[in-house]
Amino acid sequence: MSAASTDIGPETRVAPAGAPVFAGDAPVRTIAEDRAVTTMTFDAPAAFAGARAGQFLLVSSNREGAPLLARPMSIIATDPLTISFGYQGEGTRLIAAAEPGEALHLFGPLGHPFEPLGPDALIVVEGAHFGTMLALCHERRAAGERTRVVFVTRPPDAPAGPVTAGEQDAALIAMFEPVAEVTRLAGSEVVAALAAARPAAVAAGAFDHVMGEVQAWCEREGVPGFAALQVAMPCGIGACKSCIRKFRDERYHLVCEGPIFPIAEVAFR
Amino acid sequence: MPDLTVPIGAVTLKNPVIPASGTFAASYGRVFDLGRLGALVPKTLMPGYRPGHPPNRLTETGGGLLNAVGIPSDGVEAFLTKTLPAYLGWGTPVIVSISADTAAGFAELIAALEGTGIDAIELNLSCPNLEEGGRSFALDPAASAEVVAACRATALPLWAKLSPNAEDIAAVAAASVEAGADALIVANTLTGIAFRRDGRPALANVTGGLSGMPVKPVNLRCTYQVAQKLPGVPIVGCGGIATLQDALDYMAAGASAVAVGSATFSRPLAMPNLIDALATHCTARGIAARDLPRRA
Ligand SMILES: Cc1cc2nc3c(=O)[nH]c(=O)nc-3n(C[C@H](O)[C@H](O)[C@H](O)COP(=O)(O)OP(=O)(O)OC[C@H]3O[C@@H](n4cnc5c(N)ncnc54)[C@H](O)[C@@H]3O)c2cc1C
Ligand SMILES: Cc1cc2nc3c(=O)[nH]c(=O)nc-3n(C[C@H](O)[C@H](O)[C@H](O)COP(=O)(O)O)c2cc1C
Ligand code: FES
């Protein structure tokens, strides 16, 4: 053992950055399904108590044959700990198959939350980003702030697992309506919607072409914008260096160090 | 509590469980006490900044993982000022994994690491050898020996990390030990390829390194062959280790310690849980970890 490590001793260990993170099994408390959107609550380990909108956890099934990697899911609420997701493939199918009382493996809270957006914020949301943005709507509502949401719908013929995109979008919009004012639009109409709404801040989680439009509008109008990024995350904590995304500084950055970044920094085209 | 310490040459591991380079970061200290591990192993360090391969860098396949991360590195300066301090001071040895595309590049990195408080150097021989047409050093006994010999001037223990892709891994191991390696890590990933449903390659780099459960029989065979050829040379087994039985299998094949990689991604407590299981196993048998049966 090195002289340095022996001499310093355990009291002076360099504390790793960030709050403690829970890793282990947690029983599913409730599970509800609506048109292939599954909402699950857990008996929450204490580490999740202070989690904020934008943070996520990794969840995986303990069942035989479950995929090796956990799936990242946004933390929608902490009391009780709540996630909500659509069926995409094998990992989410097995997670959704859990029964109340069954233990799933959780790892979190991970990532950095949204910075305060101020009282007049607009959210652009599409597809699997709904979890992050729903969490933000809940958090803003609890703080007494109103939120306008532009929900980018997919063509009804685009498949989204066992139901059509149209059906799944309807289920998701129903989740936003109690906590935000929702407008349902096609992707091409997003810039016109931003121009009409003139928000003081924008948060966007959508496919790249829509994100690029939002970025350009924010820059033109001098409005601060935030991007919620999503890429597959094998470890969630910065060890595997796999969850990368190109930024405008020409470097790749780890998305798990976000997943919320100033929209001006990300390269969308 | 049984005695879990194991000697790997001049380095005494706190217990036989260490992280596999590239699958571990000091941020796991938010999850468990890093001082519990046998040693700490940061991701492979390369001399200068390099971005690594473009995305997609990792995919699930056949119960394992295929990665083409491409060893992104911030270079030696950033390693010494930002990365290394997070690994020192946990009261457990620090093994620094290095790689370069020339033998001289390895030696220069070691010179920069001397006197920084680290305990051993792991030579990741999987990098393409630029002076010999880009074949990985670890595929060839002479090229591996050249790297070890170029590094041997250091007083730090040298651990050579071998590749299961070598035609004759025992020959590479023997040449590395002959050139001065104190211990061997057996082994790195197995080259593979995966396609998406649309027929396009799953990884941007097309080929990648297979890890996890599917590689265990291969790396176990490698461990056995190396241990047969080089009795007495300490071996750290690596490849598909997640459970107590996996670790005991590697020890049966001739390893003294094990490195855990992919398992940590799906279960971040895989290593501390394995240490607990080993402690229970040793207690039940009234033996120390260094006395676990090695049948090779
Ligand atoms: C920060 C973040 C938050 C998210 N929040 C939500 C949410 O709240 N609700 C929601 O519906 N979706 C969310 N997602 C997306 C969700 O994680 C994906 O839909 C899910 O991973 C797809 O898994 P699957 O099993 O359904 O698909 P599969 O078809 O089994 O997987 C799709 C492909 O991705 C690969 N893959 C899957 N997971 C990983 C991983 N972790 N690492 C590497 N490769 C992987 C698989 O190998 C496969 O090739 C979020 C993603 C991120 C990054
Ligand atoms: C995402 C990823 C990155 C890796 N990076 C490195 C690396 O930088 N250096 C290295 O020597 N091995 C690297 N490896 C290989 C592992 O250290 C280990 O040898 C291999 O994964 C087999 O062990 P496992 O089956 O337990 O994962 C990497 C493996 C993975 C999955
Ligand atoms: S998910 Fe592994 S580094 Fe981000």
Side-chain angles (χ1 to χ4, degrees):
Chain A
M1 196 169 302
S2 68
S5 48
T6 316
D7 293 348
I8 293 171
E11 315 72 53
T12 51
R13 279 173 196 164
V14 179
V21 168
F22 170 84
D25 285 349
V28 175
R29 189 189 286 184
T30 61
I31 176 159
E33 300 226 21
D34 181 10
R35 286 162 285 190
V37 179
T38 302
T39 299
M40 226 175 228
T41 63
F42 295 89
D43 287 334
F48 286 98
R52 299 250 331 274
Q55 290 190 278
F56 62 96
L57 52 74
L58 295 182
V59 56
S60 49
S61 167
N62 285 313
R63 291 190 183 187
E64 189 77 21
L68 179 68
L69 294 174
R71 299 318 194 219
M73 291 292 158
S74 301
I75 298 168
I76 291 181
T78 55
D79 188 20
L81 178 63
T82 307
I83 59 170
S84 197
F85 54 96
Y87 290 146
Q88 322 264 328
E90 202 40 30
T92 45
R93 194 188 64 73
L94 266 170
I95 295 165
E99 307 279 350
E102 181 174 335
L104 295 181
H105 193 274
L106 307 186
F107 179 38
L110 298 168
H112 293 287
F114 281 99
E115 289 172 22
L117 298 182
D120 179 29
L122 183 136
I123 289 174
V124 177
V125 59
E126 181 172 35
H129 293 85
F130 76 91
T132 316
M133 296 310 185
L134 190 56
L136 185 57
C137 291
H138 278 289
E139 191 171 285
R140 291 174 57 78
R141 187 162 190 268
E145 289 170 326
R146 85 187 243 271
T147 310
R148 292 175 287 173
V149 167
V150 170
F151 192 97
V152 182
T153 52
R154 287 167 290 171
D157 54 342
V163 289
T164 63
E167 277 182 273
Q168 201 173 56
D169 284 351
L172 298 179
I173 288 168
M175 296 169 83
F176 278 91
E177 272 167 346
V179 284
E181 297 153 35
V182 185
T183 313
R184 180 182 178 144
L185 288 176
S188 55
E189 297 161 339
V190 166
V191 169
L194 286 171
R198 293 217 53 81
V202 179
F207 292 128
D208 269 20
H209 62 284
V210 174
M211 297 290 261
E213 305 269 354
V214 175
Q215 182 186 54
W217 184 84
C218 285
E219 267 165 17
R220 262 196 323 271
E221 303 299 323
V223 170
F226 296 90
L229 301 183
Q230 278 193 6
V231 298
M233 288 191 187
C235 76
I237 200 165
C240 70
K241 313 282 183 230
S242 299
C243 65
I244 54 162
R245 172 92 227 201
K246 200 166 195 176
F247 275 45
R248 280 169 154 180
D249 63 6
E250 289 301 314
R251 293 196 172 204
Y252 288 103
H253 293 271
L254 293 184
V255 173
C256 63
E257 288 175 355
I260 313 301
F261 296 92
I263 201 165
E265 293 178 7
V266 187
F268 289 110
R269 302 158 203 259
Chain B
M1 185 70 176
D3 178 4
L4 291 183
T5 59
V6 286
I8 300 291
V11 183
T12 300
L13 301 185
K14 271 182 139 175
N15 60 63
V17 182
I18 71 172
S21 178
T23 63
F24 184 74
S27 46
Y28 278 110
R30 293 171 65 192
V31 193
F32 63 87
D33 175 4
L34 300 188
R36 292 206 59 205
L37 298 180
L40 297 175
V41 187
K43 182 166 180 67
T44 297
L45 166 69
M46 299 279 288
Y49 169 77
R50 39 182 275 148
H53 293 314
N56 190 6
R57 293 179 167 192
L58 192 140
T59 190
E60 287 174 304
T61 180
L65 303 178
L66 196 65
N67 91 82
V69 173
I71 319 190
S73 174
D74 284 337
V76 69
E77 287 298 323
F79 180 82
L80 293 177
T81 53
K82 292 190 198 143
T83 308
L84 186 58
Y87 285 85
L88 296 171
W90 290 91
T92 198
V94 176
I95 320 295
V96 175
S97 166
I98 64 166
S99 201
D101 39 32
T102 61
F106 275 89
E108 280 164 30
L109 271 178
I110 293 188
L113 290 163
E114 299 275 6
T116 55
I118 68 170
D119 298 86
I121 301 277
E122 193 176 299
L123 301 171
N124 176 0
L125 300 172
S126 300
C127 231
N129 177 352
L130 279 199
E131 287 161 339
E132 296 289 342
R135 241 168 80 89
S136 151
F137 289 99
L139 298 183
D140 181 35
S144 298
E146 189 198 351
V147 171
V148 180
C151 296
R152 194 52 290 178
T154 182
L156 284 165
L158 292 176
W159 300 7
K161 186 165 179 182
L162 307 182
S163 168
N165 301 314
E167 200 181 335
D168 183 353
I169 192 169
V172 179
S176 302
V177 170
E178 176 82 5
D182 302 289
L184 301 166
I185 310 221
V186 187
N188 213 312
T189 53
L190 202 59
T191 306
I193 191 165
F195 291 96
R196 303 190 317 203
R197 269 189 224 121
D198 64 7
R200 305 232 306 264
L203 298 176
N205 189 55
V206 184
T207 60
L210 184 66
S211 65
M213 205 170 47
V215 305
K216 184 182 153 191
V218 177
N219 287 12
L220 204 52
R221 180 265 298 167
C222 293
T223 302
Y224 182 77
Q225 288 177 326
V226 171
Q228 291 281 306
K229 181 140 187 156
L230 301 168
V233 175
I235 295 174
V236 179
C238 179
I241 295 162
T243 64
L244 173 65
Q245 192 56 52
D246 297 328
L248 295 178
D249 288 349
Y250 271 90
M251 288 174 181
S256 301
V258 292
V260 176
S262 306
T264 299
F265 295 161
S266 57
R267 294 293 182 270
L269 293 177
M271 284 188 281
N273 288 346
L274 177 52
I275 295 164
D276 290 342
L278 271 169
T280 306
H281 183 83
C282 289
T283 304
R285 281 152 190 79
I287 56 172
R290 65 184 68 192
D291 300 323
L292 283 164
R294 283 169 42 131
R295 296 191 195 99

